[in-house]
Amino acid sequence: MPPWCPTTPYKGLFILVLAFVLLEYFFNTFTNSKIYNSNKLSRNAKEFQTYGPLLKTLLFKNNKTNVHNNTIIYTTKNESYYSYIVTEPSFSTNNLNSSPVTLSAISISTIEIKNDSRLYNSTLPLCPDDISSSLDGRIPIIRSPVPSVEELENRFTWLQPGGHWQPPNCRVLKSVAIVIPFRCRGEHLLLFLQHMHPYLKKQQLDYTIFVVEQDGDGPFNRAMLMNIGYREALEIKWFDCFIFHDIDLLPEDDRNLYTCPEQPRHMSVAVNIFKYKLPYPAIFGGVSAISTDHFKLLNGFSNSFWGWGGEDDDMSNRIRYHHLHISRYPISIARYTMLTHKKDKPSPSRYDILKQGEQLYDKDGLNSLKYKRIQRKFNLLYTWALVRIDSPS
């Protein structure tokens, strides 16, 4: 018998397992290298898909989390399907308050812009990356009284037409569009604007709020309105980042930055009605941040979900299909209060559309979007687009 042959069945089993581990390691490394090189936008896909099922079992066993380059990757039984990245804001949060505080009154004189407000003054210095000194941490949620449009316009005289603001004394490299699908929620819109304009201003953002209203009384199509908001915003100017925002969700912590990281970010992680717990790992609903390039890569949201539910899970599937990951801030920061409202009727076909999966990703989205813009106005508090979309018969 050759000297390298095992003398006991245990040694033979050990060598066999080791061989499988090595084969799987090299196979996964090769496979992910191909994915990485074939898609520059998914440059982080390889980083978080190195280990196959067998190797992960041997290395991590029953660990629910592992750490990679100071980033926590939370996993479930089906890690390749449900994994997401928990990141920290780009600045230190140690000195910020963790308890509610009272917002001080903002007193800033009106800024007169003679030229197009969309053009940067290249002579201005770049805005600092560390904005922690202007943030408070937890902030109060004001539900009543509901302000009037006139009250808000008198309060926010520093806004530019269209619900736009950018720092007057420094340049922000990336601009942000906040897109709100809307119909018949007048009080919620006023409470949202009252809360969000000071919130976004404190984060020193170059931002614009877009309200996309669906005309008529047909079934509501939230996803299509968000696709329309993306298209309408880019007709006005270039935006690097899109925040798709339900009107009834208000952030409770100003450390929750309204920016787009390298991966799509689910922002409304912990909502009060869910007892500040993540309902399920793959959720992407409520408030989400996607870069302009990624949104184009994903072909936007599906246009096929009429009524409540389904479109966010479809987007979550699209993100994984394109080898991207859902990123999230910690639950201690990404907290939201939901304003009370009557629930819409669920979409009766949402499960059937979800089952079709990747068959629709390249056909149903931005490239199949059809709508008619009835009116567009640049109000002081927001850019408003009234659109008509044809519901299925």
Side-chain angles (χ1 to χ4, degrees), residues 3 26 44 72 113 124 176 193 248 278 290 336 356 371 379:
F26 286 113
N44 288 339
I72 303 175
I113 304 293
L124 291 175
V176 181
L193 295 170
D248 54 11
L278 190 69
I290 308 177
Y336 283 77
Q356 297 180 52
Y371 70 98
N379 301 320

Side-chain angles (χ1 to χ4, degrees), residues 314-361:
D314 180 83
M315 174 56 80
S316 181
N317 293 338
R318 291 182 184 221
I319 289 170
R320 287 187 294 274
Y321 175 77
H322 286 280
H323 309 293
L324 300 174
H325 278 73
I326 296 174
S327 63
R328 292 188 173 100
Y329 279 161
I331 287 179
S332 60
I333 292 177
R335 297 166 61 93
Y336 283 77
T337 291
M338 179 176 287
L339 302 174
T340 56
H341 64 281
K342 183 180 178 181
K343 299 292 184 182
D344 294 329
K345 291 183 179 180
S347 169
S349 60
R350 62 191 186 279
Y351 296 117
D352 295 332
I353 300 171
L354 281 171
K355 287 178 182 178
Q356 297 180 52
E358 60 189 67
Q359 300 174 20
L360 299 176
Y361 296 159

Side-chain angles (χ1 to χ4, degrees), residues 65 93 98 101-102 129 162 217 229 285 290 315 324 332 348 364 372 385:
T65 64
T93 61
S98 59
V101 297
T102 302
D129 292 332
D217 57 359
I290 308 177
M315 174 56 80
L324 300 174
S332 60
D364 178 18
K372 180 181 179 181

Side-chain angles (χ1 to χ4, degrees), residues 27 52 96 104 182 190 222 244 248 301 314 337 339 369-370:
F27 174 77
L96 297 181
S104 57
F182 176 82
L190 293 170
R222 174 179 177 269
F244 300 100
D248 54 11
F301 287 89
D314 180 83
T337 291
L339 302 174
L369 181 62
K370 295 179 181 179

Side-chain angles (χ1 to χ4, degrees), residues 48-118:
F48 298 105
Q49 296 181 13
T50 303
Y51 304 112
L54 176 60
L55 194 58
K56 275 187 294 194
T57 301
L58 293 174
L59 291 178
F60 303 117
K61 294 185 179 180
N62 296 323
N63 289 348
K64 293 183 179 179
T65 64
N66 57 77
V67 179
H68 186 91
N69 291 342
N70 296 323
T71 299
I72 303 175
I73 307 174
Y74 282 70
T75 64
T76 64
K77 292 180 180 178
N78 191 351
E79 179 176 341
S80 62
Y81 190 78
Y82 289 119
S83 60
Y84 63 89
I85 306 165
V86 177
T87 58
E88 294 285 348
S90 57
F91 54 86
S92 172
T93 61
N94 294 334
N95 296 326
L96 297 181
N97 299 326
S98 59
S99 57
V101 297
T102 302
L103 285 176
S104 57
I106 299 175
S107 176
I108 297 181
S109 60
T110 304
I111 302 167
E112 182 180 357
I113 304 293
K114 294 183 179 180
N115 298 323
D116 189 338
S117 63
R118 291 171 284 170

